[in-house]
Amino acid sequence: MVLGLVLSFVVGLLVGGLAIHVGASLIVGSSTYGKALVTAAIAWFAWGVVSLLVGWIPLLGPLVGLLVYVGVINVQYDGGWLNAGAIAFVAWLTSLLVLALLQFLSLGVRIVGVPGV
């Protein structure tokens, strides 16, 4: 059971990193997969802390979580808040597509590092 959780986390982090990499490559024109993995891991941790602290507050909790997530991307990639938001949106879309493919293949994986997926 623990091995399954660890494997699911690792696969989810790899997919989340891929999604952020795709978003950053399309929006700012440059990204490395390693940087995207680090961004996904930091974003996952930050989202978790925010969810723990204020996630229970309706509307405010998810909104603050999303702001922190986009803020992590903003710190990691050049281009400002608008580009960071666009990267987050493309990462979200990419994650949904990959998740749909994984579900089609009957692999129950949760995406790590991209909220709302």
Side-chain angles (χ1 to χ4, degrees), residues 37-76:
L37 275 176
V38 169
T39 304
I42 293 169
W44 169 79
F45 181 77
W47 181 271
V49 169
V50 168
S51 293
L52 183 66
L53 296 175
V54 296
W56 53 273
I57 302 172
L59 192 59
L60 180 65
L63 191 60
V64 171
L66 183 60
L67 184 64
V68 168
Y69 172 68
V70 173
V72 169
I73 293 173
N74 185 38
V75 169
Q76 290 289 94

PDB file of all heavy atoms in Angstrom, residues 37-76:
ATOM      1  N   LEU A  37      10.131  20.242 -12.770  1.00  0.00           N
ATOM      2  CA  LEU A  37       9.934  19.287 -11.672  1.00  0.00           C
ATOM      3  C   LEU A  37      10.099  19.960 -10.319  1.00  0.00           C
ATOM      4  O   LEU A  37       9.307  19.731  -9.398  1.00  0.00           O
ATOM      5  CB  LEU A  37      10.919  18.123 -11.782  1.00  0.00           C
ATOM      6  CG  LEU A  37      10.535  16.968 -12.674  1.00  0.00           C
ATOM      7  CD1 LEU A  37      11.666  15.953 -12.737  1.00  0.00           C
ATOM      8  CD2 LEU A  37       9.264  16.310 -12.206  1.00  0.00           C
ATOM      9  N   VAL A  38      11.125  20.778 -10.198  1.00  0.00           N
ATOM     10  CA  VAL A  38      11.344  21.511  -8.948  1.00  0.00           C
ATOM     11  C   VAL A  38      10.160  22.440  -8.683  1.00  0.00           C
ATOM     12  O   VAL A  38       9.655  22.529  -7.553  1.00  0.00           O
ATOM     13  CB  VAL A  38      12.677  22.291  -8.994  1.00  0.00           C
ATOM     14  CG1 VAL A  38      12.795  23.261  -7.830  1.00  0.00           C
ATOM     15  CG2 VAL A  38      13.853  21.329  -9.011  1.00  0.00           C
ATOM     16  N   THR A  39       9.703  23.127  -9.719  1.00  0.00           N
ATOM     17  CA  THR A  39       8.553  24.021  -9.584  1.00  0.00           C
ATOM     18  C   THR A  39       7.315  23.247  -9.134  1.00  0.00           C
ATOM     19  O   THR A  39       6.583  23.689  -8.249  1.00  0.00           O
ATOM     20  CB  THR A  39       8.268  24.747 -10.908  1.00  0.00           C
ATOM     21  OG1 THR A  39       9.445  25.443 -11.319  1.00  0.00           O
ATOM     22  CG2 THR A  39       7.118  25.723 -10.782  1.00  0.00           C
ATOM     23  N   ALA A  40       7.086  22.083  -9.733  1.00  0.00           N
ATOM     24  CA  ALA A  40       5.934  21.265  -9.353  1.00  0.00           C
ATOM     25  C   ALA A  40       6.037  20.814  -7.898  1.00  0.00           C
ATOM     26  O   ALA A  40       5.042  20.841  -7.164  1.00  0.00           O
ATOM     27  CB  ALA A  40       5.816  20.056 -10.279  1.00  0.00           C
ATOM     28  N   ALA A  41       7.227  20.424  -7.459  1.00  0.00           N
ATOM     29  CA  ALA A  41       7.403  19.976  -6.073  1.00  0.00           C
ATOM     30  C   ALA A  41       7.182  21.127  -5.090  1.00  0.00           C
ATOM     31  O   ALA A  41       6.494  20.963  -4.072  1.00  0.00           O
ATOM     32  CB  ALA A  41       8.792  19.374  -5.898  1.00  0.00           C
ATOM     33  N   ILE A  42       7.747  22.286  -5.388  1.00  0.00           N
ATOM     34  CA  ILE A  42       7.562  23.453  -4.518  1.00  0.00           C
ATOM     35  C   ILE A  42       6.089  23.860  -4.503  1.00  0.00           C
ATOM     36  O   ILE A  42       5.528  24.163  -3.438  1.00  0.00           O
ATOM     37  CB  ILE A  42       8.451  24.625  -4.969  1.00  0.00           C
ATOM     38  CG1 ILE A  42       9.926  24.281  -4.768  1.00  0.00           C
ATOM     39  CG2 ILE A  42       8.108  25.897  -4.210  1.00  0.00           C
ATOM     40  CD1 ILE A  42      10.878  25.262  -5.424  1.00  0.00           C
ATOM     41  N   ALA A  43       5.458  23.861  -5.669  1.00  0.00           N
ATOM     42  CA  ALA A  43       4.046  24.239  -5.762  1.00  0.00           C
ATOM     43  C   ALA A  43       3.175  23.258  -4.987  1.00  0.00           C
ATOM     44  O   ALA A  43       2.222  23.656  -4.303  1.00  0.00           O
ATOM     45  CB  ALA A  43       3.615  24.307  -7.224  1.00  0.00           C
ATOM     46  N   TRP A  44       3.481  21.972  -5.064  1.00  0.00           N
ATOM     47  CA  TRP A  44       2.730  20.961  -4.322  1.00  0.00           C
ATOM     48  C   TRP A  44       2.842  21.219  -2.821  1.00  0.00           C
ATOM     49  O   TRP A  44       1.839  21.199  -2.099  1.00  0.00           O
ATOM     50  CB  TRP A  44       3.260  19.571  -4.664  1.00  0.00           C
ATOM     51  CG  TRP A  44       2.742  18.493  -3.772  1.00  0.00           C
ATOM     52  CD1 TRP A  44       1.513  17.890  -3.842  1.00  0.00           C
ATOM     53  CD2 TRP A  44       3.427  17.912  -2.667  1.00  0.00           C
ATOM     54  NE1 TRP A  44       1.409  16.960  -2.844  1.00  0.00           N
ATOM     55  CE2 TRP A  44       2.562  16.944  -2.108  1.00  0.00           C
ATOM     56  CE3 TRP A  44       4.676  18.098  -2.102  1.00  0.00           C
ATOM     57  CZ2 TRP A  44       2.914  16.182  -1.009  1.00  0.00           C
ATOM     58  CZ3 TRP A  44       5.035  17.332  -1.011  1.00  0.00           C
ATOM     59  CH2 TRP A  44       4.162  16.378  -0.475  1.00  0.00           C
ATOM     60  N   PHE A  45       4.055  21.484  -2.358  1.00  0.00           N
ATOM     61  CA  PHE A  45       4.271  21.743  -0.936  1.00  0.00           C
ATOM     62  C   PHE A  45       3.558  23.023  -0.505  1.00  0.00           C
ATOM     63  O   PHE A  45       2.870  23.055   0.527  1.00  0.00           O
ATOM     64  CB  PHE A  45       5.772  21.825  -0.632  1.00  0.00           C
ATOM     65  CG  PHE A  45       6.064  22.069   0.814  1.00  0.00           C
ATOM     66  CD1 PHE A  45       5.961  21.037   1.731  1.00  0.00           C
ATOM     67  CD2 PHE A  45       6.420  23.327   1.261  1.00  0.00           C
ATOM     68  CE1 PHE A  45       6.219  21.254   3.076  1.00  0.00           C
ATOM     69  CE2 PHE A  45       6.676  23.562   2.603  1.00  0.00           C
ATOM     70  CZ  PHE A  45       6.576  22.522   3.510  1.00  0.00           C
ATOM     71  N   ALA A  46       3.706  24.090  -1.290  1.00  0.00           N
ATOM     72  CA  ALA A  46       3.080  25.379  -0.950  1.00  0.00           C
ATOM     73  C   ALA A  46       1.562  25.245  -0.933  1.00  0.00           C
ATOM     74  O   ALA A  46       0.893  25.770  -0.031  1.00  0.00           O
ATOM     75  CB  ALA A  46       3.524  26.452  -1.942  1.00  0.00           C
ATOM     76  N   TRP A  47       1.008  24.564  -1.911  1.00  0.00           N
ATOM     77  CA  TRP A  47      -0.444  24.359  -1.963  1.00  0.00           C
ATOM     78  C   TRP A  47      -0.900  23.584  -0.728  1.00  0.00           C
ATOM     79  O   TRP A  47      -1.935  23.888  -0.136  1.00  0.00           O
ATOM     80  CB  TRP A  47      -0.815  23.605  -3.237  1.00  0.00           C
ATOM     81  CG  TRP A  47      -2.280  23.378  -3.391  1.00  0.00           C
ATOM     82  CD1 TRP A  47      -2.999  22.312  -2.914  1.00  0.00           C
ATOM     83  CD2 TRP A  47      -3.227  24.217  -4.045  1.00  0.00           C
ATOM     84  NE1 TRP A  47      -4.319  22.445  -3.245  1.00  0.00           N
ATOM     85  CE2 TRP A  47      -4.491  23.612  -3.945  1.00  0.00           C
ATOM     86  CE3 TRP A  47      -3.121  25.423  -4.720  1.00  0.00           C
ATOM     87  CZ2 TRP A  47      -5.636  24.163  -4.483  1.00  0.00           C
ATOM     88  CZ3 TRP A  47      -4.271  25.976  -5.264  1.00  0.00           C
ATOM     89  CH2 TRP A  47      -5.504  25.346  -5.141  1.00  0.00           C
ATOM     90  N   GLY A  48      -0.120  22.588  -0.324  1.00  0.00           N
ATOM     91  CA  GLY A  48      -0.460  21.808   0.866  1.00  0.00           C
ATOM     92  C   GLY A  48      -0.459  22.648   2.132  1.00  0.00           C
ATOM     93  O   GLY A  48      -1.360  22.529   2.969  1.00  0.00           O
ATOM     94  N   VAL A  49       0.544  23.504   2.288  1.00  0.00           N
ATOM     95  CA  VAL A  49       0.613  24.369   3.471  1.00  0.00           C
ATOM     96  C   VAL A  49      -0.571  25.336   3.482  1.00  0.00           C
ATOM     97  O   VAL A  49      -1.231  25.521   4.517  1.00  0.00           O
ATOM     98  CB  VAL A  49       1.956  25.133   3.512  1.00  0.00           C
ATOM     99  CG1 VAL A  49       1.935  26.213   4.568  1.00  0.00           C
ATOM    100  CG2 VAL A  49       3.105  24.167   3.762  1.00  0.00           C
ATOM    101  N   VAL A  50      -0.850  25.947   2.345  1.00  0.00           N
ATOM    102  CA  VAL A  50      -1.970  26.885   2.267  1.00  0.00           C
ATOM    103  C   VAL A  50      -3.285  26.162   2.541  1.00  0.00           C
ATOM    104  O   VAL A  50      -4.152  26.681   3.260  1.00  0.00           O
ATOM    105  CB  VAL A  50      -2.001  27.598   0.898  1.00  0.00           C
ATOM    106  CG1 VAL A  50      -3.306  28.336   0.688  1.00  0.00           C
ATOM    107  CG2 VAL A  50      -0.831  28.550   0.783  1.00  0.00           C
ATOM    108  N   SER A  51      -3.447  24.970   2.004  1.00  0.00           N
ATOM    109  CA  SER A  51      -4.674  24.200   2.237  1.00  0.00           C
ATOM    110  C   SER A  51      -4.837  23.871   3.716  1.00  0.00           C
ATOM    111  O   SER A  51      -5.950  23.910   4.246  1.00  0.00           O
ATOM    112  CB  SER A  51      -4.654  22.908   1.425  1.00  0.00           C
ATOM    113  OG  SER A  51      -4.721  23.190   0.058  1.00  0.00           O
ATOM    114  N   LEU A  52      -3.739  23.569   4.367  1.00  0.00           N
ATOM    115  CA  LEU A  52      -3.779  23.269   5.796  1.00  0.00           C
ATOM    116  C   LEU A  52      -4.175  24.500   6.610  1.00  0.00           C
ATOM    117  O   LEU A  52      -4.970  24.409   7.546  1.00  0.00           O
ATOM    118  CB  LEU A  52      -2.418  22.744   6.260  1.00  0.00           C
ATOM    119  CG  LEU A  52      -2.309  22.315   7.713  1.00  0.00           C
ATOM    120  CD1 LEU A  52      -3.172  21.092   7.963  1.00  0.00           C
ATOM    121  CD2 LEU A  52      -0.862  22.021   8.058  1.00  0.00           C
ATOM    122  N   LEU A  53      -3.629  25.649   6.234  1.00  0.00           N
ATOM    123  CA  LEU A  53      -3.859  26.864   7.008  1.00  0.00           C
ATOM    124  C   LEU A  53      -5.205  27.532   6.724  1.00  0.00           C
ATOM    125  O   LEU A  53      -5.906  27.951   7.649  1.00  0.00           O
ATOM    126  CB  LEU A  53      -2.727  27.865   6.774  1.00  0.00           C
ATOM    127  CG  LEU A  53      -1.336  27.423   7.236  1.00  0.00           C
ATOM    128  CD1 LEU A  53      -0.295  28.446   6.840  1.00  0.00           C
ATOM    129  CD2 LEU A  53      -1.315  27.183   8.737  1.00  0.00           C
ATOM    130  N   VAL A  54      -5.545  27.688   5.447  1.00  0.00           N
ATOM    131  CA  VAL A  54      -6.769  28.420   5.101  1.00  0.00           C
ATOM    132  C   VAL A  54      -7.661  27.670   4.117  1.00  0.00           C
ATOM    133  O   VAL A  54      -8.672  28.217   3.669  1.00  0.00           O
ATOM    134  CB  VAL A  54      -6.450  29.825   4.533  1.00  0.00           C
ATOM    135  CG1 VAL A  54      -5.791  30.695   5.559  1.00  0.00           C
ATOM    136  CG2 VAL A  54      -5.634  29.731   3.261  1.00  0.00           C
ATOM    137  N   GLY A  55      -7.304  26.454   3.781  1.00  0.00           N
ATOM    138  CA  GLY A  55      -8.069  25.702   2.792  1.00  0.00           C
ATOM    139  C   GLY A  55      -9.502  25.423   3.193  1.00  0.00           C
ATOM    140  O   GLY A  55     -10.369  25.209   2.348  1.00  0.00           O
ATOM    141  N   TRP A  56      -9.777  25.435   4.462  1.00  0.00           N
ATOM    142  CA  TRP A  56     -11.117  25.155   4.958  1.00  0.00           C
ATOM    143  C   TRP A  56     -12.053  26.359   4.832  1.00  0.00           C
ATOM    144  O   TRP A  56     -13.259  26.222   5.016  1.00  0.00           O
ATOM    145  CB  TRP A  56     -11.034  24.717   6.422  1.00  0.00           C
ATOM    146  CG  TRP A  56     -10.282  25.690   7.279  1.00  0.00           C
ATOM    147  CD1 TRP A  56      -8.940  25.728   7.500  1.00  0.00           C
ATOM    148  CD2 TRP A  56     -10.826  26.794   7.989  1.00  0.00           C
ATOM    149  NE1 TRP A  56      -8.614  26.785   8.304  1.00  0.00           N
ATOM    150  CE2 TRP A  56      -9.765  27.453   8.637  1.00  0.00           C
ATOM    151  CE3 TRP A  56     -12.115  27.293   8.164  1.00  0.00           C
ATOM    152  CZ2 TRP A  56      -9.941  28.586   9.411  1.00  0.00           C
ATOM    153  CZ3 TRP A  56     -12.290  28.418   8.946  1.00  0.00           C
ATOM    154  CH2 TRP A  56     -11.215  29.049   9.567  1.00  0.00           C
ATOM    155  N   ILE A  57     -11.519  27.525   4.512  1.00  0.00           N
ATOM    156  CA  ILE A  57     -12.355  28.726   4.374  1.00  0.00           C
ATOM    157  C   ILE A  57     -12.927  28.747   2.952  1.00  0.00           C
ATOM    158  O   ILE A  57     -12.170  28.820   1.986  1.00  0.00           O
ATOM    159  CB  ILE A  57     -11.541  30.008   4.636  1.00  0.00           C
ATOM    160  CG1 ILE A  57     -10.914  29.980   6.023  1.00  0.00           C
ATOM    161  CG2 ILE A  57     -12.423  31.238   4.454  1.00  0.00           C
ATOM    162  CD1 ILE A  57      -9.932  31.115   6.288  1.00  0.00           C
ATOM    163  N   PRO A  58     -14.247  28.678   2.829  1.00  0.00           N
ATOM    164  CA  PRO A  58     -14.844  28.655   1.488  1.00  0.00           C
ATOM    165  C   PRO A  58     -14.411  29.866   0.658  1.00  0.00           C
ATOM    166  O   PRO A  58     -14.321  30.984   1.162  1.00  0.00           O
ATOM    167  CB  PRO A  58     -16.348  28.703   1.765  1.00  0.00           C
ATOM    168  CG  PRO A  58     -16.497  28.210   3.164  1.00  0.00           C
ATOM    169  CD  PRO A  58     -15.248  28.623   3.879  1.00  0.00           C
ATOM    170  N   LEU A  59     -14.166  29.636  -0.576  1.00  0.00           N
ATOM    171  CA  LEU A  59     -13.758  30.615  -1.582  1.00  0.00           C
ATOM    172  C   LEU A  59     -12.375  31.197  -1.310  1.00  0.00           C
ATOM    173  O   LEU A  59     -11.537  31.212  -2.193  1.00  0.00           O
ATOM    174  CB  LEU A  59     -14.793  31.738  -1.732  1.00  0.00           C
ATOM    175  CG  LEU A  59     -14.602  32.656  -2.936  1.00  0.00           C
ATOM    176  CD1 LEU A  59     -14.646  31.885  -4.237  1.00  0.00           C
ATOM    177  CD2 LEU A  59     -15.635  33.758  -2.942  1.00  0.00           C
ATOM    178  N   LEU A  60     -12.109  31.663  -0.101  1.00  0.00           N
ATOM    179  CA  LEU A  60     -10.814  32.271   0.216  1.00  0.00           C
ATOM    180  C   LEU A  60      -9.682  31.248   0.174  1.00  0.00           C
ATOM    181  O   LEU A  60      -8.621  31.527  -0.392  1.00  0.00           O
ATOM    182  CB  LEU A  60     -10.859  32.953   1.590  1.00  0.00           C
ATOM    183  CG  LEU A  60      -9.552  33.627   2.018  1.00  0.00           C
ATOM    184  CD1 LEU A  60      -9.229  34.789   1.095  1.00  0.00           C
ATOM    185  CD2 LEU A  60      -9.645  34.078   3.463  1.00  0.00           C
ATOM    186  N   GLY A  61      -9.900  30.078   0.743  1.00  0.00           N
ATOM    187  CA  GLY A  61      -8.858  29.056   0.785  1.00  0.00           C
ATOM    188  C   GLY A  61      -8.348  28.656  -0.593  1.00  0.00           C
ATOM    189  O   GLY A  61      -7.151  28.756  -0.880  1.00  0.00           O
ATOM    190  N   PRO A  62      -9.242  28.217  -1.493  1.00  0.00           N
ATOM    191  CA  PRO A  62      -8.787  27.873  -2.839  1.00  0.00           C
ATOM    192  C   PRO A  62      -8.201  29.053  -3.604  1.00  0.00           C
ATOM    193  O   PRO A  62      -7.248  28.897  -4.375  1.00  0.00           O
ATOM    194  CB  PRO A  62     -10.056  27.357  -3.529  1.00  0.00           C
ATOM    195  CG  PRO A  62     -10.938  26.924  -2.429  1.00  0.00           C
ATOM    196  CD  PRO A  62     -10.637  27.837  -1.278  1.00  0.00           C
ATOM    197  N   LEU A  63      -8.751  30.245  -3.390  1.00  0.00           N
ATOM    198  CA  LEU A  63      -8.245  31.427  -4.072  1.00  0.00           C
ATOM    199  C   LEU A  63      -6.820  31.754  -3.628  1.00  0.00           C
ATOM    200  O   LEU A  63      -5.946  32.036  -4.461  1.00  0.00           O
ATOM    201  CB  LEU A  63      -9.169  32.614  -3.816  1.00  0.00           C
ATOM    202  CG  LEU A  63      -8.931  33.858  -4.646  1.00  0.00           C
ATOM    203  CD1 LEU A  63      -9.082  33.557  -6.127  1.00  0.00           C
ATOM    204  CD2 LEU A  63      -9.918  34.940  -4.240  1.00  0.00           C
ATOM    205  N   VAL A  64      -6.570  31.691  -2.333  1.00  0.00           N
ATOM    206  CA  VAL A  64      -5.216  31.929  -1.816  1.00  0.00           C
ATOM    207  C   VAL A  64      -4.273  30.828  -2.312  1.00  0.00           C
ATOM    208  O   VAL A  64      -3.135  31.097  -2.703  1.00  0.00           O
ATOM    209  CB  VAL A  64      -5.211  32.019  -0.273  1.00  0.00           C
ATOM    210  CG1 VAL A  64      -3.798  32.041   0.276  1.00  0.00           C
ATOM    211  CG2 VAL A  64      -5.975  33.240   0.185  1.00  0.00           C
ATOM    212  N   GLY A  65      -4.766  29.585  -2.325  1.00  0.00           N
ATOM    213  CA  GLY A  65      -3.952  28.479  -2.832  1.00  0.00           C
ATOM    214  C   GLY A  65      -3.547  28.681  -4.280  1.00  0.00           C
ATOM    215  O   GLY A  65      -2.394  28.479  -4.656  1.00  0.00           O
ATOM    216  N   LEU A  66      -4.492  29.109  -5.092  1.00  0.00           N
ATOM    217  CA  LEU A  66      -4.194  29.370  -6.505  1.00  0.00           C
ATOM    218  C   LEU A  66      -3.212  30.518  -6.657  1.00  0.00           C
ATOM    219  O   LEU A  66      -2.288  30.459  -7.479  1.00  0.00           O
ATOM    220  CB  LEU A  66      -5.484  29.668  -7.266  1.00  0.00           C
ATOM    221  CG  LEU A  66      -5.348  29.888  -8.759  1.00  0.00           C
ATOM    222  CD1 LEU A  66      -4.756  28.654  -9.439  1.00  0.00           C
ATOM    223  CD2 LEU A  66      -6.696  30.237  -9.359  1.00  0.00           C
ATOM    224  N   LEU A  67      -3.376  31.549  -5.849  1.00  0.00           N
ATOM    225  CA  LEU A  67      -2.453  32.687  -5.889  1.00  0.00           C
ATOM    226  C   LEU A  67      -1.040  32.262  -5.508  1.00  0.00           C
ATOM    227  O   LEU A  67      -0.065  32.677  -6.146  1.00  0.00           O
ATOM    228  CB  LEU A  67      -2.954  33.794  -4.960  1.00  0.00           C
ATOM    229  CG  LEU A  67      -2.160  35.090  -4.958  1.00  0.00           C
ATOM    230  CD1 LEU A  67      -2.234  35.754  -6.321  1.00  0.00           C
ATOM    231  CD2 LEU A  67      -2.690  36.034  -3.889  1.00  0.00           C
ATOM    232  N   VAL A  68      -0.921  31.423  -4.500  1.00  0.00           N
ATOM    233  CA  VAL A  68       0.394  30.919  -4.089  1.00  0.00           C
ATOM    234  C   VAL A  68       0.989  30.055  -5.194  1.00  0.00           C
ATOM    235  O   VAL A  68       2.180  30.148  -5.500  1.00  0.00           O
ATOM    236  CB  VAL A  68       0.292  30.149  -2.755  1.00  0.00           C
ATOM    237  CG1 VAL A  68       1.559  29.364  -2.459  1.00  0.00           C
ATOM    238  CG2 VAL A  68      -0.013  31.113  -1.613  1.00  0.00           C
ATOM    239  N   TYR A  69       0.178  29.203  -5.815  1.00  0.00           N
ATOM    240  CA  TYR A  69       0.645  28.349  -6.902  1.00  0.00           C
ATOM    241  C   TYR A  69       1.189  29.185  -8.069  1.00  0.00           C
ATOM    242  O   TYR A  69       2.290  28.942  -8.565  1.00  0.00           O
ATOM    243  CB  TYR A  69      -0.500  27.444  -7.367  1.00  0.00           C
ATOM    244  CG  TYR A  69      -0.190  26.661  -8.614  1.00  0.00           C
ATOM    245  CD1 TYR A  69       0.756  25.650  -8.605  1.00  0.00           C
ATOM    246  CD2 TYR A  69      -0.849  26.927  -9.810  1.00  0.00           C
ATOM    247  CE1 TYR A  69       1.044  24.929  -9.750  1.00  0.00           C
ATOM    248  CE2 TYR A  69      -0.570  26.207 -10.950  1.00  0.00           C
ATOM    249  CZ  TYR A  69       0.378  25.217 -10.915  1.00  0.00           C
ATOM    250  OH  TYR A  69       0.659  24.514 -12.051  1.00  0.00           O
ATOM    251  N   VAL A  70       0.421  30.186  -8.488  1.00  0.00           N
ATOM    252  CA  VAL A  70       0.868  31.064  -9.570  1.00  0.00           C
ATOM    253  C   VAL A  70       2.094  31.860  -9.123  1.00  0.00           C
ATOM    254  O   VAL A  70       3.008  32.113  -9.910  1.00  0.00           O
ATOM    255  CB  VAL A  70      -0.275  31.987 -10.054  1.00  0.00           C
ATOM    256  CG1 VAL A  70       0.223  33.010 -11.054  1.00  0.00           C
ATOM    257  CG2 VAL A  70      -1.398  31.159 -10.662  1.00  0.00           C
ATOM    258  N   GLY A  71       2.147  32.217  -7.837  1.00  0.00           N
ATOM    259  CA  GLY A  71       3.313  32.916  -7.299  1.00  0.00           C
ATOM    260  C   GLY A  71       4.581  32.080  -7.379  1.00  0.00           C
ATOM    261  O   GLY A  71       5.658  32.601  -7.686  1.00  0.00           O
ATOM    262  N   VAL A  72       4.474  30.794  -7.101  1.00  0.00           N
ATOM    263  CA  VAL A  72       5.637  29.903  -7.231  1.00  0.00           C
ATOM    264  C   VAL A  72       6.124  29.887  -8.671  1.00  0.00           C
ATOM    265  O   VAL A  72       7.324  29.991  -8.941  1.00  0.00           O
ATOM    266  CB  VAL A  72       5.298  28.471  -6.748  1.00  0.00           C
ATOM    267  CG1 VAL A  72       6.391  27.487  -7.126  1.00  0.00           C
ATOM    268  CG2 VAL A  72       5.069  28.448  -5.243  1.00  0.00           C
ATOM    269  N   ILE A  73       5.196  29.790  -9.605  1.00  0.00           N
ATOM    270  CA  ILE A  73       5.568  29.804 -11.028  1.00  0.00           C
ATOM    271  C   ILE A  73       6.179  31.146 -11.385  1.00  0.00           C
ATOM    272  O   ILE A  73       7.172  31.217 -12.121  1.00  0.00           O
ATOM    273  CB  ILE A  73       4.350  29.484 -11.916  1.00  0.00           C
ATOM    274  CG1 ILE A  73       3.906  28.039 -11.686  1.00  0.00           C
ATOM    275  CG2 ILE A  73       4.668  29.720 -13.389  1.00  0.00           C
ATOM    276  CD1 ILE A  73       2.625  27.659 -12.379  1.00  0.00           C
ATOM    277  N   ASN A  74       5.634  32.234 -10.853  1.00  0.00           N
ATOM    278  CA  ASN A  74       6.151  33.570 -11.113  1.00  0.00           C
ATOM    279  C   ASN A  74       7.593  33.711 -10.636  1.00  0.00           C
ATOM    280  O   ASN A  74       8.414  34.349 -11.300  1.00  0.00           O
ATOM    281  CB  ASN A  74       5.260  34.619 -10.449  1.00  0.00           C
ATOM    282  CG  ASN A  74       5.659  36.031 -10.783  1.00  0.00           C
ATOM    283  OD1 ASN A  74       6.055  36.328 -11.902  1.00  0.00           O
ATOM    284  ND2 ASN A  74       5.560  36.908  -9.810  1.00  0.00           N
ATOM    285  N   VAL A  75       7.912  33.126  -9.498  1.00  0.00           N
ATOM    286  CA  VAL A  75       9.276  33.189  -8.974  1.00  0.00           C
ATOM    287  C   VAL A  75      10.221  32.351  -9.834  1.00  0.00           C
ATOM    288  O   VAL A  75      11.358  32.756 -10.103  1.00  0.00           O
ATOM    289  CB  VAL A  75       9.316  32.716  -7.500  1.00  0.00           C
ATOM    290  CG1 VAL A  75      10.735  32.509  -7.026  1.00  0.00           C
ATOM    291  CG2 VAL A  75       8.602  33.719  -6.611  1.00  0.00           C
ATOM    292  N   GLN A  76       9.747  31.226 -10.306  1.00  0.00           N
ATOM    293  CA  GLN A  76      10.604  30.304 -11.052  1.00  0.00           C
ATOM    294  C   GLN A  76      10.842  30.739 -12.502  1.00  0.00           C
ATOM    295  O   GLN A  76      11.879  30.429 -13.076  1.00  0.00           O
ATOM    296  CB  GLN A  76       9.996  28.895 -11.042  1.00  0.00           C
ATOM    297  CG  GLN A  76      10.032  28.215  -9.689  1.00  0.00           C
ATOM    298  CD  GLN A  76      11.433  27.810  -9.302  1.00  0.00           C
ATOM    299  OE1 GLN A  76      12.132  28.542  -8.615  1.00  0.00           O
ATOM    300  NE2 GLN A  76      11.846  26.643  -9.743  1.00  0.00           N
TER     301      GLN A  76
END
